[in-house]
Amino acid sequence: MNRGDLNDLNTFLTIAEHLSFRAAAAQLGVTSSALSHSIRQLEGRLGARLLHRTTRSVSLTDSGNRLLERLRPGMAQISGALEELKGERDRPSGRLRIYAQPWAVPTVIAPMWQHFLSCYPDVHLDLLVGSEPSIDIVASGLDAGLAVRERVPVEMTAIRASAPMRAAVVASPDYLAKHAAPNTPDDLLSHQCVQYRNVGEIWRWRFEQNGSAKRVSVRGSMTVNDTDAAIRAALDGLGIVYTLDVLVEPFLRSGQLVRVLADWSPNMEGVYLYYNGRRQLSAALRAFINIIRPSAGRQDCRCVKNPF
């Protein structure tokens, strides 16, 4: 069946329901002559007369009646499927797939996921957590991703998903009891520091003070590529860790960790949600954006709980 057949069958069904070319033309928004042309084409392709028509009346032939009986259930199913699809477009539902690095889950997703899922119970939130700073969400079949601004692919649309985040350099009280706390970033060179590997490279710690910025290549006997592992290492007294304030706030509050170099800790730009803006957005993604956008202006640490 080609598209012309489907259009002509819909025309036939509408005429058969009204038994009037004029009423069918008004419903379909076309002229009566256009309907006559469509019916003649359909009858020609089928090799059967479907309608008896005079200047005063329209009636179905036997072939037309048989076609109508078979056609009604099928067209009703098609109409129902289209209406259901339109409803899904306006009602958030289905699977919403989001990519995030491990640290973005407690800082961005966790503060809003309970509210989001309670507002939209028909949505299944599918989080893909990985170590890559950003990935090709189109090739991976994802709806959106979370990344720092400089890692957002240039062809993607990006919106702010979090407030700026402050860096935190921390160590356990036991470690600091054995080693004098550093006063400047350069003092870290004489300390055990838990190094962080980011996309194959050892990350250099960034510091700022009075408009002056510097990076330090720290040393230590341990390297990780996961923020939870780094924090656990700090809790166990293995060395000093550079992380985000929001991730260690519960441990600072409980006294399990102590902040050092506070005057040198810079603010990070924050996290962005990126997606393919050239594609029709699902209702679920639109709803996710509408909830995450207002929360980007504030930072709520209360949702980050002590996992150890």
PDB file of all heavy atoms in Angstrom, residues 141-159:
ATOM      1  N   GLY A 141      22.326   6.105  21.736  1.00  0.00           N
ATOM      2  CA  GLY A 141      20.888   5.949  21.944  1.00  0.00           C
ATOM      3  C   GLY A 141      20.388   6.591  23.223  1.00  0.00           C
ATOM      4  O   GLY A 141      19.412   6.122  23.819  1.00  0.00           O
ATOM      5  N   LEU A 142      21.050   7.677  23.654  1.00  0.00           N
ATOM      6  CA  LEU A 142      20.672   8.361  24.884  1.00  0.00           C
ATOM      7  C   LEU A 142      19.900   9.636  24.569  1.00  0.00           C
ATOM      8  O   LEU A 142      19.998  10.194  23.480  1.00  0.00           O
ATOM      9  CB  LEU A 142      21.915   8.701  25.699  1.00  0.00           C
ATOM     10  CG  LEU A 142      22.770   7.504  26.131  1.00  0.00           C
ATOM     11  CD1 LEU A 142      24.106   7.989  26.675  1.00  0.00           C
ATOM     12  CD2 LEU A 142      22.045   6.687  27.167  1.00  0.00           C
ATOM     13  N   ASP A 143      19.153  10.108  25.567  1.00  0.00           N
ATOM     14  CA  ASP A 143      18.382  11.340  25.393  1.00  0.00           C
ATOM     15  C   ASP A 143      19.200  12.578  25.732  1.00  0.00           C
ATOM     16  O   ASP A 143      19.018  13.626  25.115  1.00  0.00           O
ATOM     17  CB  ASP A 143      17.125  11.300  26.275  1.00  0.00           C
ATOM     18  CG  ASP A 143      16.161  10.198  25.870  1.00  0.00           C
ATOM     19  OD1 ASP A 143      15.561  10.320  24.796  1.00  0.00           O
ATOM     20  OD2 ASP A 143      16.044   9.209  26.619  1.00  0.00           O
ATOM     21  N   ALA A 144      20.084  12.466  26.715  1.00  0.00           N
ATOM     22  CA  ALA A 144      20.857  13.636  27.145  1.00  0.00           C
ATOM     23  C   ALA A 144      22.058  13.172  27.950  1.00  0.00           C
ATOM     24  O   ALA A 144      22.156  12.008  28.361  1.00  0.00           O
ATOM     25  CB  ALA A 144      19.989  14.585  27.980  1.00  0.00           C
ATOM     26  N   GLY A 145      22.981  14.105  28.182  1.00  0.00           N
ATOM     27  CA  GLY A 145      24.159  13.818  28.991  1.00  0.00           C
ATOM     28  C   GLY A 145      24.469  14.994  29.891  1.00  0.00           C
ATOM     29  O   GLY A 145      23.961  16.103  29.693  1.00  0.00           O
ATOM     30  N   LEU A 146      25.308  14.749  30.881  1.00  0.00           N
ATOM     31  CA  LEU A 146      25.759  15.797  31.795  1.00  0.00           C
ATOM     32  C   LEU A 146      27.268  15.930  31.673  1.00  0.00           C
ATOM     33  O   LEU A 146      27.989  14.930  31.672  1.00  0.00           O
ATOM     34  CB  LEU A 146      25.376  15.455  33.235  1.00  0.00           C
ATOM     35  CG  LEU A 146      23.886  15.540  33.560  1.00  0.00           C
ATOM     36  CD1 LEU A 146      23.581  14.812  34.862  1.00  0.00           C
ATOM     37  CD2 LEU A 146      23.430  16.991  33.661  1.00  0.00           C
ATOM     38  N   ALA A 147      27.745  17.166  31.572  1.00  0.00           N
ATOM     39  CA  ALA A 147      29.178  17.390  31.428  1.00  0.00           C
ATOM     40  C   ALA A 147      29.504  18.820  31.839  1.00  0.00           C
ATOM     41  O   ALA A 147      28.619  19.691  31.875  1.00  0.00           O
ATOM     42  CB  ALA A 147      29.631  17.156  29.991  1.00  0.00           C
ATOM     43  N   VAL A 148      30.776  19.065  32.164  1.00  0.00           N
ATOM     44  CA  VAL A 148      31.215  20.445  32.358  1.00  0.00           C
ATOM     45  C   VAL A 148      31.180  21.132  31.002  1.00  0.00           C
ATOM     46  O   VAL A 148      31.258  20.485  29.960  1.00  0.00           O
ATOM     47  CB  VAL A 148      32.618  20.494  32.985  1.00  0.00           C
ATOM     48  CG1 VAL A 148      32.591  19.970  34.412  1.00  0.00           C
ATOM     49  CG2 VAL A 148      33.631  19.718  32.146  1.00  0.00           C
ATOM     50  N   ARG A 149      31.087  22.456  30.997  1.00  0.00           N
ATOM     51  CA  ARG A 149      30.799  23.201  29.768  1.00  0.00           C
ATOM     52  C   ARG A 149      31.793  22.925  28.647  1.00  0.00           C
ATOM     53  O   ARG A 149      31.403  22.753  27.486  1.00  0.00           O
ATOM     54  CB  ARG A 149      30.776  24.712  30.067  1.00  0.00           C
ATOM     55  CG  ARG A 149      30.280  25.550  28.887  1.00  0.00           C
ATOM     56  CD  ARG A 149      28.802  25.268  28.657  1.00  0.00           C
ATOM     57  NE  ARG A 149      28.242  26.012  27.559  1.00  0.00           N
ATOM     58  CZ  ARG A 149      28.200  25.577  26.307  1.00  0.00           C
ATOM     59  NH1 ARG A 149      28.720  24.400  25.989  1.00  0.00           N
ATOM     60  NH2 ARG A 149      27.633  26.286  25.358  1.00  0.00           N
ATOM     61  N   GLU A 150      33.081  22.855  28.979  1.00  0.00           N
ATOM     62  CA  GLU A 150      34.082  22.682  27.922  1.00  0.00           C
ATOM     63  C   GLU A 150      34.056  21.285  27.305  1.00  0.00           C
ATOM     64  O   GLU A 150      34.672  21.062  26.267  1.00  0.00           O
ATOM     65  CB  GLU A 150      35.483  23.003  28.445  1.00  0.00           C
ATOM     66  CG  GLU A 150      35.943  22.153  29.603  1.00  0.00           C
ATOM     67  CD  GLU A 150      35.647  22.794  30.948  1.00  0.00           C
ATOM     68  OE1 GLU A 150      34.717  23.624  31.015  1.00  0.00           O
ATOM     69  OE2 GLU A 150      36.354  22.464  31.911  1.00  0.00           O
ATOM     70  N   ARG A 151      33.355  20.350  27.946  1.00  0.00           N
ATOM     71  CA  ARG A 151      33.278  18.987  27.413  1.00  0.00           C
ATOM     72  C   ARG A 151      31.995  18.729  26.616  1.00  0.00           C
ATOM     73  O   ARG A 151      31.803  17.638  26.100  1.00  0.00           O
ATOM     74  CB  ARG A 151      33.353  17.974  28.562  1.00  0.00           C
ATOM     75  CG  ARG A 151      34.707  17.956  29.269  1.00  0.00           C
ATOM     76  CD  ARG A 151      35.762  17.327  28.413  1.00  0.00           C
ATOM     77  NE  ARG A 151      37.030  17.168  29.132  1.00  0.00           N
ATOM     78  CZ  ARG A 151      38.086  16.550  28.643  1.00  0.00           C
ATOM     79  NH1 ARG A 151      38.034  16.036  27.428  1.00  0.00           N
ATOM     80  NH2 ARG A 151      39.192  16.446  29.347  1.00  0.00           N
ATOM     81  N   VAL A 152      31.104  19.704  26.536  1.00  0.00           N
ATOM     82  CA  VAL A 152      29.868  19.529  25.778  1.00  0.00           C
ATOM     83  C   VAL A 152      30.190  19.540  24.289  1.00  0.00           C
ATOM     84  O   VAL A 152      30.823  20.482  23.797  1.00  0.00           O
ATOM     85  CB  VAL A 152      28.855  20.643  26.107  1.00  0.00           C
ATOM     86  CG1 VAL A 152      27.629  20.533  25.206  1.00  0.00           C
ATOM     87  CG2 VAL A 152      28.440  20.560  27.570  1.00  0.00           C
ATOM     88  N   PRO A 153      29.781  18.519  23.528  1.00  0.00           N
ATOM     89  CA  PRO A 153      30.032  18.522  22.075  1.00  0.00           C
ATOM     90  C   PRO A 153      29.454  19.774  21.428  1.00  0.00           C
ATOM     91  O   PRO A 153      28.357  20.227  21.790  1.00  0.00           O
ATOM     92  CB  PRO A 153      29.309  17.247  21.599  1.00  0.00           C
ATOM     93  CG  PRO A 153      29.290  16.355  22.798  1.00  0.00           C
ATOM     94  CD  PRO A 153      29.126  17.268  23.976  1.00  0.00           C
ATOM     95  N   VAL A 154      30.183  20.341  20.468  1.00  0.00           N
ATOM     96  CA  VAL A 154      29.817  21.642  19.904  1.00  0.00           C
ATOM     97  C   VAL A 154      28.459  21.624  19.207  1.00  0.00           C
ATOM     98  O   VAL A 154      27.775  22.652  19.142  1.00  0.00           O
ATOM     99  CB  VAL A 154      30.897  22.131  18.916  1.00  0.00           C
ATOM    100  CG1 VAL A 154      32.177  22.435  19.644  1.00  0.00           C
ATOM    101  CG2 VAL A 154      31.151  21.094  17.815  1.00  0.00           C
ATOM    102  N   GLU A 155      28.043  20.471  18.681  1.00  0.00           N
ATOM    103  CA  GLU A 155      26.784  20.419  17.942  1.00  0.00           C
ATOM    104  C   GLU A 155      25.568  20.232  18.853  1.00  0.00           C
ATOM    105  O   GLU A 155      24.431  20.246  18.389  1.00  0.00           O
ATOM    106  CB  GLU A 155      26.822  19.289  16.909  1.00  0.00           C
ATOM    107  CG  GLU A 155      26.768  17.867  17.482  1.00  0.00           C
ATOM    108  CD  GLU A 155      28.128  17.353  17.924  1.00  0.00           C
ATOM    109  OE1 GLU A 155      29.081  18.164  17.955  1.00  0.00           O
ATOM    110  OE2 GLU A 155      28.228  16.158  18.239  1.00  0.00           O
ATOM    111  N   MET A 156      25.792  20.109  20.154  1.00  0.00           N
ATOM    112  CA  MET A 156      24.708  19.867  21.094  1.00  0.00           C
ATOM    113  C   MET A 156      24.163  21.167  21.683  1.00  0.00           C
ATOM    114  O   MET A 156      24.883  22.159  21.816  1.00  0.00           O
ATOM    115  CB  MET A 156      25.182  18.970  22.240  1.00  0.00           C
ATOM    116  CG  MET A 156      25.558  17.546  21.851  1.00  0.00           C
ATOM    117  SD  MET A 156      24.127  16.495  21.498  1.00  0.00           S
ATOM    118  CE  MET A 156      24.289  16.316  19.717  1.00  0.00           C
ATOM    119  N   THR A 157      22.893  21.150  22.042  1.00  0.00           N
ATOM    120  CA  THR A 157      22.295  22.230  22.824  1.00  0.00           C
ATOM    121  C   THR A 157      22.609  21.978  24.292  1.00  0.00           C
ATOM    122  O   THR A 157      22.511  20.837  24.754  1.00  0.00           O
ATOM    123  CB  THR A 157      20.782  22.278  22.609  1.00  0.00           C
ATOM    124  OG1 THR A 157      20.510  22.532  21.228  1.00  0.00           O
ATOM    125  CG2 THR A 157      20.132  23.360  23.460  1.00  0.00           C
ATOM    126  N   ALA A 158      23.000  23.020  25.039  1.00  0.00           N
ATOM    127  CA  ALA A 158      23.377  22.844  26.440  1.00  0.00           C
ATOM    128  C   ALA A 158      22.665  23.867  27.318  1.00  0.00           C
ATOM    129  O   ALA A 158      22.521  25.028  26.942  1.00  0.00           O
ATOM    130  CB  ALA A 158      24.888  22.983  26.607  1.00  0.00           C
ATOM    131  N   ILE A 159      22.205  23.414  28.484  1.00  0.00           N
ATOM    132  CA  ILE A 159      21.616  24.308  29.480  1.00  0.00           C
ATOM    133  C   ILE A 159      22.300  24.043  30.824  1.00  0.00           C
ATOM    134  O   ILE A 159      22.746  22.924  31.096  1.00  0.00           O
ATOM    135  CB  ILE A 159      20.095  24.119  29.616  1.00  0.00           C
ATOM    136  CG1 ILE A 159      19.778  22.707  30.121  1.00  0.00           C
ATOM    137  CG2 ILE A 159      19.382  24.404  28.319  1.00  0.00           C
ATOM    138  CD1 ILE A 159      18.360  22.554  30.599  1.00  0.00           C
TER     139      ILE A 159
END
